[in-house]
Amino acid sequence: MPAGPAIRLRGIVNRFGPTTVHDGVDLDVERGEVLALIGGSGSGKSVLLRTIVGLRRPQAGTIELLGERIDKDVPPALRARYGMLFQDGALFSSLTVARNIQVPIRERYRLPERLLDELARLKLSLVGLPCAAGAKLPAELSGGMRKRAGLARALALDPELLFLDEPTAGLDPIAAAAFDELIGSLQRSLGLTVVMVTHDLDSLIRIADRIAVLVDRRIVVGTIDALRRHPDPWLQAYFGGVRGRAALAAATAGG
């Protein structure tokens, strides 16, 4: 595995008019880890994720992905090395699930239709969806199936990095647990580096190696045990509240 972090941020500043959301954010994401990004409402979790993947340019700071510095637009060859699952799946409503999965493949390669169909079936199988789902429109799928279809598209080009924006939002506890298990399994089997924006404490406990918290417009990184002792009031409420204590107690009992 190449040396150095998979993602390296230094001095990232994001502003919206007079409002500064991130003020000198530094972050390293190690290759092969699952890093969860959390923070209070309005702390800029999704903004930072969009900045990392090149959907937003910061006012200041530097970004390196897989050892390559991004100064302007992300080069197509580098963009093909990461995939992203948006919170709502962001599937094209007029395309079948199979065609949605094929979109990034068609943009990068000229392949016969038969091979494109086979690749779509392979990606569906990878995320635990039946082949029959490929012929359906996104609106014909349940919320959990749409998440998996979006994940299949994110994995279409066999990326090294996987970005997830609130992957379990809107799912019931059983479906959320199954999706977490799927992400963990894919990360291990494919050697992925995963960055996951979430508010779901159960997801953190199940699959995150480390947690990055947006606190006062900057980043604090640590394990759950370390962050539980952090003096920040939001972290104290997050881990020490009724829901946090219940999740941690359940994890301790299960382990």
Side-chain angles (χ1 to χ4, degrees), residues 84-93 100 138 146-147 150 153:
M84 182 163 180
L85 172 62
F86 294 91
Q87 182 173 342
D88 59 358
L91 297 170
F92 296 107
S93 60
N100 266 282
R146 280 197 300 274
K147 295 268 189 182
R153 187 178 63 183

Side-chain angles (χ1 to χ4, degrees), residues 59-74:
Q59 273 74 21
T62 61
I63 304 168
E64 289 183 14
L65 295 181
L66 299 169
E68 189 169 340
R69 179 164 166 171
I70 303 170
D71 290 316
K72 293 183 180 178
D73 294 332
V74 180

Side-chain angles (χ1 to χ4, degrees), residues 220-240:
V220 176
V221 182
T223 62
I224 289 178
D225 286 341
L227 293 172
R228 288 172 67 189
R229 297 190 294 271
H230 195 281
D232 177 73
W234 185 86
L235 278 170
Q236 289 291 314
Y238 183 74
F239 288 111

Side-chain angles (χ1 to χ4, degrees), residues 109-181:
Y109 302 110
R110 294 179 62 87
L111 299 174
E113 290 297 317
R114 186 174 62 182
L115 181 54
L116 286 167
D117 291 340
E118 182 62 30
L119 287 171
R121 286 192 292 269
L122 175 65
K123 300 305 177 181
L124 286 170
S125 175
L126 192 65
V127 300
L129 287 176
C131 289
K136 296 181 180 295
L137 293 172
E140 298 177 287
L141 302 180
S142 67
M145 292 178 75
R146 280 197 300 274
K147 295 268 189 182
R148 290 177 183 249
L151 180 60
R153 187 178 63 183
L155 296 172
L157 295 177
D158 299 324
E160 300 165 58
L161 298 175
L162 179 62
F163 297 96
L164 310 171
D165 191 5
E166 298 283 5
T168 58
L171 300 181
D172 64 67
I174 294 174
F179 200 84
D180 285 337
E181 184 178 340

